Amino acid sequence: MTEKNYEFRVQGWISAPVRDAVGEFGDVCVLRAPPETLIYGEISDQAHLTGMLALLGNLGLRIVSVHQVPNPPA
């Protein structure tokens, strides 16, 4: 599977330690979009996507939506 860009939308603004933890899972871009946080990243395969969703859940984040997007924001 070719890497695809995904947008993970979570409830609220995430703290710096949580942003750091998310960043350790791969190259991500975190943007504030009140009242939510947008996390963009390249996902390589189904296992990577499942792992990212598990990480977000384990960090206590409420996932609002997940979408495949053509390009992440610059």
Side-chain angles (χ1 to χ4, degrees):
M1 177 175 163
T2 306
E3 289 191 349
K4 296 182 179 173
N5 296 306
Y6 277 81
E7 173 192 271
F8 301 88
R9 187 176 292 260
V10 298
Q11 186 176 30
W13 178 238
I14 59 177
S15 66
V18 172
R19 287 193 305 273
D20 292 344
V22 170
E24 289 179 15
F25 197 73
D27 187 24
V28 297
C29 174
V30 179
L31 300 173
R32 189 170 190 176
E36 300 165 337
T37 299
L38 306 178
I39 303 167
Y40 293 93
E42 288 185 346
I43 301 296
S44 58
D45 56 23
Q46 188 69 33
H48 190 188
L49 177 59
T50 301
M52 182 63 149
L53 292 170
L55 172 67
L56 296 175
N58 289 340
L59 290 169
L61 301 176
R62 182 175 177 273
I63 300 169
V64 176
S65 66
V66 178
H67 298 281
Q68 186 179 339
V69 294
N71 295 307

Short mmCIF file of all heavy atoms in Angstrom, two decimals:
data_model
loop_
_atom_site.label_atom_id
_atom_site.label_comp_id
_atom_site.label_asym_id
_atom_site.label_seq_id
_atom_site.Cartn_x
_atom_site.Cartn_y
_atom_site.Cartn_z
N MET A 1 0.85 -1.19 0.00
CA MET A 1 0.00 0.00 0.00
C MET A 1 0.89 1.24 0.00
O MET A 1 1.84 1.34 0.75
CB MET A 1 -0.88 -0.04 1.26
CG MET A 1 -1.77 1.15 1.43
SD MET A 1 -2.84 0.90 2.87
CE MET A 1 -3.37 2.56 3.15
N THR A 2 0.57 2.18 -0.85
CA THR A 2 1.29 3.44 -0.90
C THR A 2 0.85 4.31 0.27
O THR A 2 -0.30 4.29 0.67
CB THR A 2 0.96 4.17 -2.22
OG1 THR A 2 1.24 3.30 -3.30
CG2 THR A 2 1.76 5.43 -2.37
N GLU A 3 1.79 5.09 0.82
CA GLU A 3 1.43 5.96 1.93
C GLU A 3 0.34 6.94 1.50
O GLU A 3 0.37 7.48 0.40
CB GLU A 3 2.65 6.71 2.44
CG GLU A 3 3.61 5.82 3.16
CD GLU A 3 4.70 6.57 3.88
OE1 GLU A 3 4.84 7.78 3.67
OE2 GLU A 3 5.39 5.94 4.67
N LYS A 4 -0.62 7.13 2.40
CA LYS A 4 -1.71 8.04 2.14
C LYS A 4 -1.80 9.02 3.30
O LYS A 4 -1.44 8.70 4.43
CB LYS A 4 -3.02 7.27 2.00
CG LYS A 4 -2.98 6.36 0.78
CD LYS A 4 -4.25 5.63 0.58
CE LYS A 4 -4.10 4.77 -0.67
NZ LYS A 4 -5.21 3.90 -0.88
N ASN A 5 -2.27 10.21 3.01
CA ASN A 5 -2.40 11.25 4.02
C ASN A 5 -3.75 11.13 4.71
O ASN A 5 -4.78 10.96 4.06
CB ASN A 5 -2.28 12.63 3.38
CG ASN A 5 -0.92 12.85 2.79
OD1 ASN A 5 0.08 12.71 3.47
ND2 ASN A 5 -0.86 13.19 1.51
N TYR A 6 -3.71 11.24 6.03
CA TYR A 6 -4.94 11.16 6.82
C TYR A 6 -5.06 12.37 7.74
O TYR A 6 -4.05 12.91 8.20
CB TYR A 6 -4.95 9.90 7.69
CG TYR A 6 -5.43 8.67 6.96
CD1 TYR A 6 -4.57 7.95 6.14
CD2 TYR A 6 -6.74 8.23 7.07
CE1 TYR A 6 -4.99 6.83 5.45
CE2 TYR A 6 -7.18 7.10 6.39
CZ TYR A 6 -6.30 6.41 5.59
OH TYR A 6 -6.74 5.31 4.92
N GLU A 7 -6.30 12.74 7.99
CA GLU A 7 -6.62 13.77 8.97
C GLU A 7 -7.35 13.07 10.11
O GLU A 7 -8.36 12.40 9.90
CB GLU A 7 -7.53 14.83 8.37
CG GLU A 7 -8.04 15.84 9.40
CD GLU A 7 -9.16 16.68 8.85
OE1 GLU A 7 -8.86 17.74 8.27
OE2 GLU A 7 -10.34 16.28 9.01
N PHE A 8 -6.82 13.23 11.31
CA PHE A 8 -7.44 12.72 12.53
C PHE A 8 -7.94 13.94 13.30
O PHE A 8 -7.15 14.81 13.66
CB PHE A 8 -6.44 11.94 13.38
CG PHE A 8 -5.82 10.77 12.67
CD1 PHE A 8 -4.68 10.94 11.90
CD2 PHE A 8 -6.39 9.52 12.75
CE1 PHE A 8 -4.11 9.87 11.23
CE2 PHE A 8 -5.83 8.44 12.09
CZ PHE A 8 -4.68 8.62 11.32
N ARG A 9 -9.23 14.01 13.53
CA ARG A 9 -9.82 15.14 14.24
C ARG A 9 -10.18 14.65 15.64
O ARG A 9 -10.90 13.66 15.79
CB ARG A 9 -11.07 15.61 13.50
CG ARG A 9 -11.70 16.87 14.04
CD ARG A 9 -12.87 17.29 13.15
NE ARG A 9 -12.42 17.73 11.85
CZ ARG A 9 -12.29 19.01 11.48
NH1 ARG A 9 -12.58 19.96 12.33
NH2 ARG A 9 -11.88 19.31 10.28
N VAL A 10 -9.62 15.33 16.66
CA VAL A 10 -9.89 14.94 18.04
C VAL A 10 -10.51 16.10 18.79
O VAL A 10 -10.29 17.27 18.45
CB VAL A 10 -8.61 14.43 18.76
CG1 VAL A 10 -8.06 13.20 18.06
CG2 VAL A 10 -7.55 15.50 18.85
N GLN A 11 -11.24 15.77 19.84
CA GLN A 11 -11.94 16.79 20.63
C GLN A 11 -10.96 17.58 21.48
O GLN A 11 -10.06 17.02 22.10
CB GLN A 11 -12.97 16.12 21.52
CG GLN A 11 -13.86 17.07 22.27
CD GLN A 11 -14.92 16.32 23.05
OE1 GLN A 11 -14.72 15.20 23.49
NE2 GLN A 11 -16.07 16.95 23.20
N GLY A 12 -11.14 18.90 21.50
CA GLY A 12 -10.34 19.76 22.36
C GLY A 12 -8.94 20.02 21.83
O GLY A 12 -8.57 19.58 20.75
N TRP A 13 -8.19 20.79 22.61
CA TRP A 13 -6.80 21.11 22.28
C TRP A 13 -5.92 20.17 23.09
O TRP A 13 -6.12 20.02 24.29
CB TRP A 13 -6.49 22.55 22.59
CG TRP A 13 -5.06 22.94 22.33
CD1 TRP A 13 -4.19 23.45 23.25
CD2 TRP A 13 -4.34 22.86 21.11
NE1 TRP A 13 -2.98 23.71 22.67
CE2 TRP A 13 -3.04 23.34 21.35
CE3 TRP A 13 -4.64 22.41 19.84
CZ2 TRP A 13 -2.05 23.39 20.36
CZ3 TRP A 13 -3.66 22.47 18.86
CH2 TRP A 13 -2.39 22.95 19.13
N ILE A 14 -4.95 19.54 22.44
CA ILE A 14 -4.11 18.58 23.14
C ILE A 14 -2.87 19.26 23.70
O ILE A 14 -2.33 20.19 23.09
CB ILE A 14 -3.77 17.36 22.26
CG1 ILE A 14 -3.03 17.76 20.98
CG2 ILE A 14 -5.05 16.62 21.88
CD1 ILE A 14 -2.61 16.59 20.13
N SER A 15 -2.42 18.78 24.83
CA SER A 15 -1.27 19.37 25.53
C SER A 15 0.03 19.05 24.80
O SER A 15 0.10 18.14 23.96
CB SER A 15 -1.20 18.83 26.96
OG SER A 15 -0.92 17.44 26.93
N ALA A 16 1.08 19.78 25.16
CA ALA A 16 2.40 19.56 24.55
C ALA A 16 2.90 18.14 24.76
O ALA A 16 3.41 17.53 23.80
CB ALA A 16 3.40 20.58 25.09
N PRO A 17 2.79 17.54 25.95
CA PRO A 17 3.25 16.15 26.10
C PRO A 17 2.49 15.16 25.22
O PRO A 17 3.08 14.23 24.68
CB PRO A 17 3.02 15.85 27.59
CG PRO A 17 3.01 17.17 28.26
CD PRO A 17 2.43 18.12 27.25
N VAL A 18 1.20 15.40 25.03
CA VAL A 18 0.41 14.52 24.16
C VAL A 18 0.82 14.74 22.71
O VAL A 18 0.96 13.77 21.94
CB VAL A 18 -1.11 14.74 24.36
CG1 VAL A 18 -1.92 13.98 23.34
CG2 VAL A 18 -1.51 14.33 25.78
N ARG A 19 1.05 15.99 22.31
CA ARG A 19 1.53 16.26 20.94
C ARG A 19 2.86 15.55 20.70
O ARG A 19 3.08 14.97 19.63
CB ARG A 19 1.67 17.76 20.70
CG ARG A 19 0.35 18.47 20.54
CD ARG A 19 0.49 19.89 20.00
NE ARG A 19 1.38 20.74 20.77
CZ ARG A 19 1.03 21.47 21.82
NH1 ARG A 19 -0.21 21.42 22.26
NH2 ARG A 19 1.90 22.24 22.44
N ASP A 20 3.75 15.58 21.69
CA ASP A 20 5.04 14.90 21.56
C ASP A 20 4.85 13.40 21.40
O ASP A 20 5.53 12.76 20.59
CB ASP A 20 5.92 15.19 22.77
CG ASP A 20 6.38 16.64 22.83
OD1 ASP A 20 6.28 17.35 21.80
OD2 ASP A 20 6.83 17.06 23.92
N ALA A 21 3.93 12.82 22.17
CA ALA A 21 3.68 11.38 22.08
C ALA A 21 3.13 11.01 20.70
O ALA A 21 3.54 10.00 20.11
CB ALA A 21 2.71 10.95 23.17
N VAL A 22 2.25 11.83 20.18
CA VAL A 22 1.70 11.57 18.84
C VAL A 22 2.81 11.70 17.80
O VAL A 22 2.90 10.89 16.87
CB VAL A 22 0.54 12.54 18.53
CG1 VAL A 22 0.12 12.47 17.07
CG2 VAL A 22 -0.65 12.26 19.44
N GLY A 23 3.69 12.66 17.97
CA GLY A 23 4.78 12.87 17.03
C GLY A 23 5.78 11.74 17.00
O GLY A 23 6.45 11.51 15.98
N GLU A 24 5.90 10.99 18.08
CA GLU A 24 6.81 9.85 18.11
C GLU A 24 6.33 8.70 17.24
O GLU A 24 7.09 7.81 16.90
CB GLU A 24 7.01 9.37 19.55
CG GLU A 24 7.82 10.35 20.38
CD GLU A 24 8.00 9.88 21.81
OE1 GLU A 24 7.76 8.69 22.10
OE2 GLU A 24 8.38 10.72 22.65
N PHE A 25 5.06 8.72 16.87
CA PHE A 25 4.49 7.65 16.05
C PHE A 25 4.77 7.87 14.56
O PHE A 25 4.57 7.00 13.75
CB PHE A 25 2.98 7.55 16.30
CG PHE A 25 2.38 6.28 15.84
CD1 PHE A 25 2.59 5.10 16.53
CD2 PHE A 25 1.58 6.24 14.71
CE1 PHE A 25 2.03 3.91 16.11
CE2 PHE A 25 1.01 5.06 14.27
CZ PHE A 25 1.23 3.89 14.98
N GLY A 26 5.25 9.04 14.19
CA GLY A 26 5.54 9.35 12.80
C GLY A 26 5.53 10.85 12.58
O GLY A 26 5.27 11.63 13.50
N ASP A 27 5.83 11.24 11.37
CA ASP A 27 5.86 12.65 11.01
C ASP A 27 4.43 13.16 10.92
O ASP A 27 3.67 12.75 10.03
CB ASP A 27 6.59 12.83 9.68
CG ASP A 27 6.81 14.29 9.34
OD1 ASP A 27 6.84 15.12 10.27
OD2 ASP A 27 6.96 14.59 8.15
N VAL A 28 4.03 14.01 11.86
CA VAL A 28 2.67 14.52 11.89
C VAL A 28 2.67 16.03 11.98
O VAL A 28 3.64 16.64 12.40
CB VAL A 28 1.86 13.94 13.07
CG1 VAL A 28 1.70 12.45 12.97
CG2 VAL A 28 2.47 14.32 14.40
N CYS A 29 1.56 16.60 11.58
CA CYS A 29 1.32 18.04 11.70
C CYS A 29 0.10 18.19 12.60
O CYS A 29 -0.93 17.57 12.36
CB CYS A 29 1.06 18.62 10.31
SG CYS A 29 0.57 20.36 10.33
N VAL A 30 0.23 18.99 13.65
CA VAL A 30 -0.87 19.20 14.59
C VAL A 30 -1.32 20.66 14.49
O VAL A 30 -0.51 21.57 14.63
CB VAL A 30 -0.43 18.87 16.04
CG1 VAL A 30 -1.57 19.13 17.01
CG2 VAL A 30 0.07 17.44 16.14
N LEU A 31 -2.61 20.85 14.23
CA LEU A 31 -3.17 22.18 14.08
C LEU A 31 -4.35 22.37 15.01
O LEU A 31 -5.16 21.46 15.20
CB LEU A 31 -3.65 22.41 12.64
CG LEU A 31 -2.61 22.30 11.54
CD1 LEU A 31 -3.29 22.38 10.18
CD2 LEU A 31 -1.59 23.40 11.69
N ARG A 32 -4.44 23.55 15.57
CA ARG A 32 -5.58 23.88 16.42
C ARG A 32 -6.71 24.37 15.52
O ARG A 32 -6.53 25.23 14.67
CB ARG A 32 -5.18 24.97 17.40
CG ARG A 32 -6.20 25.22 18.44
CD ARG A 32 -5.66 26.12 19.51
NE ARG A 32 -6.62 26.12 20.61
CZ ARG A 32 -6.44 26.73 21.73
NH1 ARG A 32 -5.33 27.40 21.94
NH2 ARG A 32 -7.35 26.70 22.66
N ALA A 33 -7.88 23.79 15.72
CA ALA A 33 -9.09 24.18 14.98
C ALA A 33 -10.24 24.15 15.98
O ALA A 33 -11.03 23.22 16.00
CB ALA A 33 -9.34 23.22 13.83
N PRO A 34 -10.28 25.17 16.87
CA PRO A 34 -11.25 25.15 17.96
C PRO A 34 -12.65 24.79 17.48
O PRO A 34 -13.07 25.29 16.43
CB PRO A 34 -11.20 26.57 18.49
CG PRO A 34 -9.82 27.05 18.15
CD PRO A 34 -9.52 26.41 16.82
N PRO A 35 -13.31 23.94 18.18
CA PRO A 35 -12.99 23.36 19.49
C PRO A 35 -12.23 22.04 19.38
O PRO A 35 -12.25 21.24 20.32
CB PRO A 35 -14.38 23.14 20.10
CG PRO A 35 -15.22 22.75 18.91
CD PRO A 35 -14.68 23.58 17.76
N GLU A 36 -11.56 21.79 18.27
CA GLU A 36 -10.90 20.50 18.05
C GLU A 36 -9.43 20.69 17.70
O GLU A 36 -8.96 21.82 17.54
CB GLU A 36 -11.62 19.74 16.93
CG GLU A 36 -13.06 19.46 17.28
CD GLU A 36 -13.90 19.04 16.10
OE1 GLU A 36 -13.56 19.34 14.95
OE2 GLU A 36 -14.93 18.42 16.35
N THR A 37 -8.74 19.57 17.58
CA THR A 37 -7.36 19.54 17.12
C THR A 37 -7.31 18.65 15.89
O THR A 37 -7.91 17.56 15.87
CB THR A 37 -6.41 18.97 18.20
OG1 THR A 37 -6.47 19.81 19.35
CG2 THR A 37 -4.98 18.89 17.70
N LEU A 38 -6.61 19.10 14.86
CA LEU A 38 -6.43 18.31 13.65
C LEU A 38 -5.01 17.75 13.64
O LEU A 38 -4.05 18.49 13.88
CB LEU A 38 -6.65 19.16 12.41
CG LEU A 38 -7.97 19.91 12.33
CD1 LEU A 38 -8.02 20.75 11.06
CD2 LEU A 38 -9.13 18.95 12.39
N ILE A 39 -4.90 16.47 13.38
CA ILE A 39 -3.60 15.81 13.30
C ILE A 39 -3.51 15.21 11.91
O ILE A 39 -4.35 14.41 11.51
CB ILE A 39 -3.48 14.71 14.37
CG1 ILE A 39 -3.69 15.29 15.77
CG2 ILE A 39 -2.13 14.00 14.26
CD1 ILE A 39 -3.90 14.26 16.85
N TYR A 40 -2.50 15.64 11.17
CA TYR A 40 -2.28 15.13 9.82
C TYR A 40 -1.03 14.26 9.82
O TYR A 40 -0.03 14.61 10.45
CB TYR A 40 -2.07 16.27 8.82
CG TYR A 40 -3.31 17.10 8.61
CD1 TYR A 40 -3.54 18.25 9.36
CD2 TYR A 40 -4.24 16.74 7.65
CE1 TYR A 40 -4.68 19.01 9.17
CE2 TYR A 40 -5.39 17.50 7.45
CZ TYR A 40 -5.59 18.63 8.22
OH TYR A 40 -6.72 19.38 8.03
N GLY A 41 -1.09 13.15 9.09
CA GLY A 41 0.08 12.31 8.99
C GLY A 41 -0.04 11.34 7.83
O GLY A 41 -1.14 11.07 7.33
N GLU A 42 1.11 10.81 7.40
CA GLU A 42 1.14 9.80 6.36
C GLU A 42 0.99 8.43 7.01
O GLU A 42 1.68 8.11 7.97
CB GLU A 42 2.44 9.85 5.57
CG GLU A 42 2.55 11.03 4.65
CD GLU A 42 3.80 10.98 3.79
OE1 GLU A 42 4.71 10.19 4.08
OE2 GLU A 42 3.85 11.76 2.84
N ILE A 43 0.08 7.64 6.47
CA ILE A 43 -0.18 6.30 6.97
C ILE A 43 0.21 5.31 5.87
O ILE A 43 -0.24 5.43 4.74
CB ILE A 43 -1.67 6.15 7.35
CG1 ILE A 43 -2.07 7.17 8.42
CG2 ILE A 43 -1.98 4.73 7.78
CD1 ILE A 43 -1.36 7.02 9.75
N SER A 44 1.05 4.35 6.24
CA SER A 44 1.61 3.45 5.23
C SER A 44 0.73 2.25 4.90
O SER A 44 0.74 1.77 3.77
CB SER A 44 2.99 2.97 5.67
OG SER A 44 2.90 2.31 6.92
N ASP A 45 -0.02 1.74 5.89
CA ASP A 45 -0.85 0.57 5.65
C ASP A 45 -1.91 0.44 6.73
O ASP A 45 -1.99 1.28 7.63
CB ASP A 45 0.00 -0.70 5.55
CG ASP A 45 0.86 -0.95 6.78
OD1 ASP A 45 0.53 -0.44 7.88
OD2 ASP A 45 1.87 -1.65 6.65
N GLN A 46 -2.71 -0.62 6.65
CA GLN A 46 -3.81 -0.81 7.59
C GLN A 46 -3.29 -0.95 9.03
O GLN A 46 -3.90 -0.43 9.96
CB GLN A 46 -4.63 -2.04 7.19
CG GLN A 46 -5.90 -2.20 7.99
CD GLN A 46 -6.93 -1.14 7.69
OE1 GLN A 46 -7.05 -0.65 6.57
NE2 GLN A 46 -7.71 -0.75 8.69
N ALA A 47 -2.19 -1.64 9.21
CA ALA A 47 -1.62 -1.83 10.54
C ALA A 47 -1.18 -0.48 11.14
O ALA A 47 -1.38 -0.23 12.33
CB ALA A 47 -0.46 -2.80 10.50
N HIS A 48 -0.61 0.37 10.31
CA HIS A 48 -0.18 1.70 10.75
C HIS A 48 -1.39 2.52 11.17
O HIS A 48 -1.38 3.21 12.20
CB HIS A 48 0.61 2.36 9.63
CG HIS A 48 1.31 3.62 10.01
ND1 HIS A 48 1.91 4.42 9.07
CD2 HIS A 48 1.49 4.26 11.19
CE1 HIS A 48 2.43 5.47 9.68
NE2 HIS A 48 2.19 5.39 10.96
N LEU A 49 -2.45 2.46 10.37
CA LEU A 49 -3.69 3.19 10.70
C LEU A 49 -4.28 2.69 12.01
O LEU A 49 -4.65 3.48 12.88
CB LEU A 49 -4.70 3.03 9.56
CG LEU A 49 -6.07 3.69 9.77
CD1 LEU A 49 -5.94 5.18 9.99
CD2 LEU A 49 -6.98 3.39 8.60
N THR A 50 -4.33 1.38 12.17
CA THR A 50 -4.86 0.80 13.41
C THR A 50 -4.01 1.21 14.60
O THR A 50 -4.53 1.55 15.67
CB THR A 50 -4.90 -0.74 13.29
OG1 THR A 50 -5.74 -1.08 12.19
CG2 THR A 50 -5.43 -1.39 14.55
N GLY A 51 -2.69 1.23 14.43
CA GLY A 51 -1.79 1.65 15.50
C GLY A 51 -1.98 3.10 15.88
O GLY A 51 -1.96 3.46 17.07
N MET A 52 -2.17 3.96 14.89
CA MET A 52 -2.39 5.38 15.17
C MET A 52 -3.70 5.59 15.92
O MET A 52 -3.75 6.35 16.89
CB MET A 52 -2.39 6.18 13.86
CG MET A 52 -2.55 7.66 14.06
SD MET A 52 -1.17 8.37 14.98
CE MET A 52 -1.12 9.99 14.29
N LEU A 53 -4.75 4.90 15.51
CA LEU A 53 -6.03 5.01 16.20
C LEU A 53 -5.91 4.50 17.64
O LEU A 53 -6.46 5.11 18.57
CB LEU A 53 -7.11 4.23 15.45
CG LEU A 53 -7.50 4.82 14.09
CD1 LEU A 53 -8.39 3.85 13.33
CD2 LEU A 53 -8.16 6.17 14.24
N ALA A 54 -5.18 3.41 17.83
CA ALA A 54 -4.97 2.87 19.18
C ALA A 54 -4.19 3.87 20.04
O ALA A 54 -4.52 4.08 21.21
CB ALA A 54 -4.24 1.53 19.11
N LEU A 55 -3.17 4.48 19.47
CA LEU A 55 -2.37 5.46 20.20
C LEU A 55 -3.23 6.64 20.65
O LEU A 55 -3.19 7.04 21.81
CB LEU A 55 -1.20 5.97 19.35
CG LEU A 55 -0.41 7.14 19.93
CD1 LEU A 55 0.34 6.69 21.18
CD2 LEU A 55 0.53 7.72 18.92
N LEU A 56 -4.03 7.16 19.75
CA LEU A 56 -4.89 8.29 20.10
C LEU A 56 -5.85 7.90 21.22
O LEU A 56 -6.06 8.66 22.16
CB LEU A 56 -5.65 8.79 18.87
CG LEU A 56 -4.79 9.36 17.73
CD1 LEU A 56 -5.66 9.69 16.52
CD2 LEU A 56 -4.00 10.56 18.18
N GLY A 57 -6.41 6.72 21.13
CA GLY A 57 -7.31 6.25 22.17
C GLY A 57 -6.59 6.04 23.49
O GLY A 57 -7.11 6.40 24.56
N ASN A 58 -5.40 5.46 23.44
CA ASN A 58 -4.62 5.21 24.66
C ASN A 58 -4.20 6.51 25.34
O ASN A 58 -3.98 6.54 26.55
CB ASN A 58 -3.40 4.36 24.37
CG ASN A 58 -3.76 2.93 24.04
OD1 ASN A 58 -4.84 2.46 24.37
ND2 ASN A 58 -2.86 2.24 23.35
N LEU A 59 -4.07 7.58 24.56
CA LEU A 59 -3.72 8.88 25.12
C LEU A 59 -4.94 9.59 25.71
O LEU A 59 -4.83 10.70 26.21
CB LEU A 59 -3.07 9.76 24.05
CG LEU A 59 -1.67 9.33 23.62
CD1 LEU A 59 -1.23 10.11 22.37
CD2 LEU A 59 -0.68 9.50 24.75
N GLY A 60 -6.08 8.94 25.62
CA GLY A 60 -7.30 9.50 26.20
C GLY A 60 -7.98 10.52 25.31
O GLY A 60 -8.82 11.29 25.78
N LEU A 61 -7.64 10.53 24.02
CA LEU A 61 -8.23 11.49 23.11
C LEU A 61 -9.54 10.94 22.55
O LEU A 61 -9.65 9.76 22.23
CB LEU A 61 -7.27 11.80 21.96
CG LEU A 61 -5.92 12.37 22.40
CD1 LEU A 61 -5.03 12.55 21.20
CD2 LEU A 61 -6.09 13.68 23.14
N ARG A 62 -10.53 11.81 22.42
CA ARG A 62 -11.80 11.43 21.81
C ARG A 62 -11.71 11.73 20.33
O ARG A 62 -11.60 12.89 19.92
CB ARG A 62 -12.97 12.19 22.42
CG ARG A 62 -14.29 11.77 21.84
CD ARG A 62 -15.47 12.45 22.53
NE ARG A 62 -16.69 12.06 21.87
CZ ARG A 62 -17.21 12.69 20.82
NH1 ARG A 62 -16.61 13.74 20.32
NH2 ARG A 62 -18.34 12.28 20.28
N ILE A 63 -11.72 10.69 19.52
CA ILE A 63 -11.62 10.84 18.07
C ILE A 63 -12.98 11.25 17.53
O ILE A 63 -13.98 10.55 17.73
CB ILE A 63 -11.13 9.54 17.42
CG1 ILE A 63 -9.76 9.16 17.97
CG2 ILE A 63 -11.11 9.68 15.89
CD1 ILE A 63 -9.30 7.77 17.61
N VAL A 64 -13.01 12.38 16.85
CA VAL A 64 -14.24 12.90 16.27
C VAL A 64 -14.44 12.35 14.87
O VAL A 64 -15.53 11.93 14.49
CB VAL A 64 -14.23 14.45 16.26
CG1 VAL A 64 -15.46 15.00 15.56
CG2 VAL A 64 -14.11 14.99 17.67
N SER A 65 -13.34 12.32 14.08
CA SER A 65 -13.42 11.79 12.72
C SER A 65 -12.03 11.44 12.20
O SER A 65 -11.03 11.94 12.70
CB SER A 65 -14.10 12.78 11.77
OG SER A 65 -13.31 13.94 11.61
N VAL A 66 -12.02 10.59 11.19
CA VAL A 66 -10.80 10.20 10.49
C VAL A 66 -11.12 10.24 9.01
O VAL A 66 -12.12 9.65 8.58
CB VAL A 66 -10.32 8.79 10.89
CG1 VAL A 66 -9.08 8.39 10.11
CG2 VAL A 66 -10.07 8.69 12.39
N HIS A 67 -10.28 10.94 8.25
CA HIS A 67 -10.50 11.04 6.81
C HIS A 67 -9.19 10.91 6.06
O HIS A 67 -8.16 11.44 6.50
CB HIS A 67 -11.10 12.41 6.43
CG HIS A 67 -12.43 12.67 7.04
ND1 HIS A 67 -13.59 12.15 6.54
CD2 HIS A 67 -12.78 13.40 8.13
CE1 HIS A 67 -14.60 12.55 7.29
NE2 HIS A 67 -14.13 13.31 8.25
N GLN A 68 -9.25 10.25 4.93
CA GLN A 68 -8.12 10.28 4.01
C GLN A 68 -8.22 11.59 3.25
O GLN A 68 -9.30 11.98 2.81
CB GLN A 68 -8.17 9.10 3.06
CG GLN A 68 -6.97 9.00 2.18
CD GLN A 68 -7.04 7.79 1.26
OE1 GLN A 68 -7.76 6.83 1.52
NE2 GLN A 68 -6.30 7.84 0.19
N VAL A 69 -7.10 12.31 3.15
CA VAL A 69 -7.09 13.61 2.48
C VAL A 69 -6.04 13.59 1.37
O VAL A 69 -5.05 12.87 1.45
CB VAL A 69 -6.81 14.76 3.47
CG1 VAL A 69 -7.95 14.90 4.46
CG2 VAL A 69 -5.50 14.57 4.21
N PRO A 70 -6.25 14.39 0.30
CA PRO A 70 -5.29 14.39 -0.80
C PRO A 70 -3.92 14.91 -0.39
O PRO A 70 -2.91 14.34 -0.75
CB PRO A 70 -5.94 15.27 -1.86
CG PRO A 70 -7.06 15.97 -1.21
CD PRO A 70 -7.38 15.26 0.07
N ASN A 71 -3.89 16.01 0.35
CA ASN A 71 -2.62 16.60 0.77
C ASN A 71 -2.80 17.22 2.15
O ASN A 71 -3.81 17.87 2.41
CB ASN A 71 -2.19 17.71 -0.20
CG ASN A 71 -1.89 17.17 -1.57
OD1 ASN A 71 -1.11 16.26 -1.72
ND2 ASN A 71 -2.54 17.72 -2.57
N PRO A 72 -1.80 17.06 3.02
CA PRO A 72 -1.88 17.74 4.32
C PRO A 72 -1.64 19.23 4.13
O PRO A 72 -1.10 19.66 3.11
CB PRO A 72 -0.75 17.09 5.13
CG PRO A 72 0.21 16.61 4.11
CD PRO A 72 -0.59 16.28 2.88
N PRO A 73 -2.05 20.04 5.10
CA PRO A 73 -1.81 21.48 4.98
C PRO A 73 -0.30 21.79 5.00
O PRO A 73 0.47 21.03 5.59
CB PRO A 73 -2.51 22.07 6.19
CG PRO A 73 -2.63 20.95 7.15
CD PRO A 73 -2.68 19.68 6.33
N ALA A 74 0.07 22.87 4.37
CA ALA A 74 1.49 23.25 4.31
C ALA A 74 1.96 23.80 5.64
O ALA A 74 1.25 24.28 6.43
CB ALA A 74 1.70 24.28 3.22
#
